[in-house]
Amino acid sequence: MFEHFLPFIVTAVLGFVVQPPITEVGFHGGPHWPDTSKRELHVMVGATAHTPLDDRFGVQFGAAYTQRGRSWSCWLITCFEDWDRGYTQSDFIDMSLLGQVRLPLDDAVGLQAVLGPKYGVEVVCRSENHTQGTERECSRPIGARYDVRLVAGVGVAIQASPRVDVTVNYRYGFDLQQWGFWDWVDGDSDQFESSLIAGVTYRIAR
């Protein structure tokens, strides 16, 4: 279980040692669809920090609390009752390292695109049985499940003041574990997920 939190620890240590120049910080949130085929709605909220490489390219560090989950049903010998249905809610702490490209359209509006990896660890898991009206914690220990994805996204930034931008982004996440890059033992991850997030960024330095 400890090894799943190791990337967070390594990132914190490297960030403290290297201390990359941060010119912007931001907060965002919005609807999240952990399974694009079922479109079950969840929520994600997070924060970002931006390090510029030049006027158009940069690196975005991100951390977010993301809800995931899935509906389930079973019957006959696979359940204690003749038929059960319910929902399993899984909440993750996600960490991302995304390359970002910015294309200004005019003085107040610009396009944004991001691409890079995201790593998450499950911190909450509970299962609700709608048939029996019960709720319980998942049997696996907290931190035992993790999520590795390649994130791609596009969006727009609108300048609200000399230091503040309002942003809207749509992002798509591809599960690298189901593509065979990592071994996946739980078998209940979703291959594709998406998020529509709105936020505010603040320029620390101009």
Side-chain angles (χ1 to χ4, degrees):
M1 180 177 67
F2 172 78
E3 64 270 17
H4 297 331
F5 290 94
L6 190 58
F8 293 92
I9 300 173
V10 172
T11 300
V13 173
L14 288 177
F16 178 79
V17 174
V18 178
Q19 295 185 358
I22 302 299
T23 60
E24 293 179 10
V25 294
F27 299 93
H28 60 265
H32 174 75
W33 296 273
D35 185 342
T36 56
S37 63
K38 296 181 180 179
R39 307 302 292 179
E40 293 180 336
L41 181 62
H42 295 71
V43 175
M44 65 89 66
V45 293
T48 58
H50 179 79
T51 296
L53 301 178
D54 58 27
D55 291 340
R56 291 193 175 185
F57 296 92
V59 178
Q60 185 186 89
F61 306 92
Y65 189 84
T66 307
Q67 293 180 341
R68 295 182 175 92
R70 62 175 60 244
S71 299
W72 55 265
S73 61
C74 57
W75 58 288
L76 295 179
I77 61 174
T78 59
C79 290
F80 294 107
E81 303 292 335
D82 291 337
W83 180 71
D84 271 355
R85 64 179 183 88
Y87 192 85
T88 298
Q89 177 74 45
S90 299
D91 296 348
F92 283 70
I93 295 294
D94 292 330
M95 177 183 64
S96 60
L97 179 62
L98 308 179
Q100 187 179 65
V101 180
R102 298 180 173 183
L103 301 174
L105 298 180
D106 56 36
D107 292 338
V109 181
L111 298 179
Q112 300 177 344
V114 296
L115 179 68
K118 180 175 69 172
Y119 179 85
V121 175
E122 184 182 62
V123 294
V124 174
C125 181
R126 58 184 179 273
S127 181
E128 301 177 3
N129 189 310
H130 298 327
T131 305
Q132 301 179 24
T134 59
E135 181 177 339
R136 63 178 179 83
E137 299 296 322
C138 298
S139 58
R140 60 177 175 261
I142 296 303
R145 183 183 172 199
Y146 64 100
D147 187 76
V148 183
R149 295 184 182 270
L150 177 66
V151 175
V154 294
V156 62
I158 302 173
Q159 185 175 10
S161 75
R163 287 187 178 268
V164 177
D165 286 351
V166 177
T167 61
V168 179
N169 292 272
Y170 185 82
R171 294 183 179 177
Y172 215 68
F174 309 90
D175 185 0
L176 296 177
Q177 297 164 111
Q178 291 204 9
W179 286 1
F181 293 96
W182 283 267
D183 291 330
W184 179 252
V185 294
D186 283 345
D188 60 351
S189 179
D190 299 308
Q191 186 171 358
F192 303 105
E193 67 176 19
S194 62
S195 301
L196 179 61
I197 53 179
V200 175
T201 61
Y202 177 79
R203 278 179 286 277
I204 300 174
R206 296 183 58 189

